Amino acid sequence: MKLKTIAIDDEQLSLDTLEDFCNKIEFLNFAAKFNDPLEAAAYLKKEKVDLIFLDVQMPHMDGIELLKSLPKHQNVIFVTAYEDYALTSYDYNAIDYIMKPLPFSRFMLACNKAYDLISKEKGIVSNPYEDFHSDFIFITTGGKTLKVDLHDINMIVAHNDFCVFYTNSENYVVHESMKYIEEVLEPIGFVRIHKSYIVPISKIESIDGNVLKAAGEEFPIGRTFRENLLKKIEPLKIG
């Protein structure tokens, strides 16, 4: 299933970023972008969309007023530079509220959440990546967004307020929490085995008691992560 998506924001740079990010996610179909909320309102009265990325403060009509003017429920992710409207946004059943500047990893997490909710609305039980056979992800590090081959990733390790992606060629420091990284990577073949470690399932070599070996390294298995780990490998287990 692909989600028909539009973006509404009075800042052209923000619109261009949203379009670029949407085009990187296989299950999004980016249909249109608007810097004038009145034009967007006219479009939405004629066209059905699955998901709207919406700024709050805009000329002529702000994002909250726009939602009030529409005839029925809309699935919305707010993307804004202002924290003040976060609570109000949930009065309109917003799926998420993302602060600018927009990191791709945070955007992707919100899109996964939207996919799950909209699938349930439509009565579809599926994975957003069921048709997504890419061998890469995008990592934001050092102010750049880099394409990284999934098969090159050996582990992700938490260090205080940042995480490090260890790959065959280079290590990448990412200022995201392990929870965010876990939610983004788990649907595409990774598993968290400890509060400090995520590993690719394809590189797990052995599990001996509470010790897991992957990509030639040994890791402790955290007590609270053991059950999920065993569930992940059960479909691939013989004997």
Side-chain angles (χ1 to χ4, degrees):
M1 180 184 74
K2 282 185 177 280
L3 304 181
K4 184 177 178 181
T5 304
I6 67 168
I8 308 166
D9 196 312
D10 63 317
E11 296 178 1
Q12 190 60 45
L13 178 60
S14 180
L15 281 177
D16 292 343
T17 298
L18 286 167
E19 181 178 15
D20 179 50
F21 282 4
C22 285
N23 288 334
K24 287 175 179 173
I25 296 181
E26 182 69 14
F27 58 83
L28 296 183
N29 174 23
F30 191 80
K33 57 184 176 181
F34 301 92
N35 54 25
D36 184 338
L38 296 177
E39 289 182 10
Y43 176 89
L44 288 167
K45 286 175 181 175
K46 295 184 294 183
E47 299 286 336
K48 179 174 173 54
V49 302
D50 296 305
L51 181 62
I52 303 170
F53 293 99
L54 181 60
D55 191 12
V56 177
Q57 290 201 351
M58 297 180 288
H60 309 305
M61 177 186 288
D62 68 34
I64 302 295
E65 291 171 336
L66 174 59
L67 278 184
K68 287 180 183 177
S69 75
L70 297 174
K72 57 186 177 180
H73 165 73
Q74 303 287 337
N75 292 304
V76 172
I77 294 174
F78 282 99
V79 182
T80 177
Y82 301 94
E83 295 180 350
D84 308 15
Y85 300 92
L87 290 176
T88 304
S89 72
Y90 290 103
D91 291 338
Y92 296 89
N93 296 315
I95 292 173
D96 212 335
Y97 194 96
I98 312 175
M99 296 295 298
K100 300 175 184 177
L102 182 62
F104 180 74
S105 56
R106 179 67 178 86
F107 176 83
M108 191 172 186
L109 184 62
C111 291
N112 287 341
K113 183 178 176 183
Y115 189 97
D116 289 342
L117 290 171
I118 295 168
S119 293
K120 287 175 185 174
E121 285 179 3
K122 293 176 179 283
I124 299 169
V125 179
S126 57
N127 187 313
Y129 293 95
E130 62 188 352
D131 298 317
F132 183 61
H133 304 298
S134 175
D135 293 325
F136 59 85
I137 58 170
F138 292 93
I139 291 176
T140 301
T141 180
K144 294 191 234 177
T145 298
L146 305 174
K147 180 179 175 182
V148 176
D149 193 321
L150 288 177
H151 301 293
D152 280 346
I153 300 172
N154 294 319
M155 70 193 84
I156 299 99
V157 181
H159 293 279
N160 298 321
D161 61 344
F162 62 91
C163 296
V164 179
F165 281 68
Y166 289 87
T167 78
N168 292 330
S169 57
E170 196 170 343
N171 301 331
Y172 302 99
V173 176
V174 177
H175 289 275
E176 287 287 1
S177 71
M178 278 294 263
K179 181 168 176 56
Y180 279 158
I181 293 172
E182 177 187 8
E183 290 178 349
V184 170
L185 291 183
E186 188 165 283
I188 51 176
F190 288 73
V191 62
R192 190 171 182 180
I193 60 168
H194 185 275
K195 66 180 182 179
S196 299
Y197 303 111
I198 294 172
V199 298
I201 294 172
S202 64
K203 294 194 178 180
I204 295 175
E205 298 167 29
S206 65
I207 298 173
D208 184 5
N210 289 321
V211 177
L212 178 143
K213 187 174 182 181
E217 300 282 342
E218 290 189 345
F219 304 91
I221 300 172
R223 182 174 54 84
T224 58
F225 300 96
R226 184 178 181 82
E227 183 179 353
N228 184 53
L229 167 64
L230 296 179
K231 279 182 183 176
K232 288 286 185 184
I233 66 169
E234 186 62 32
L236 305 170
K237 185 179 171 186
I238 299 172

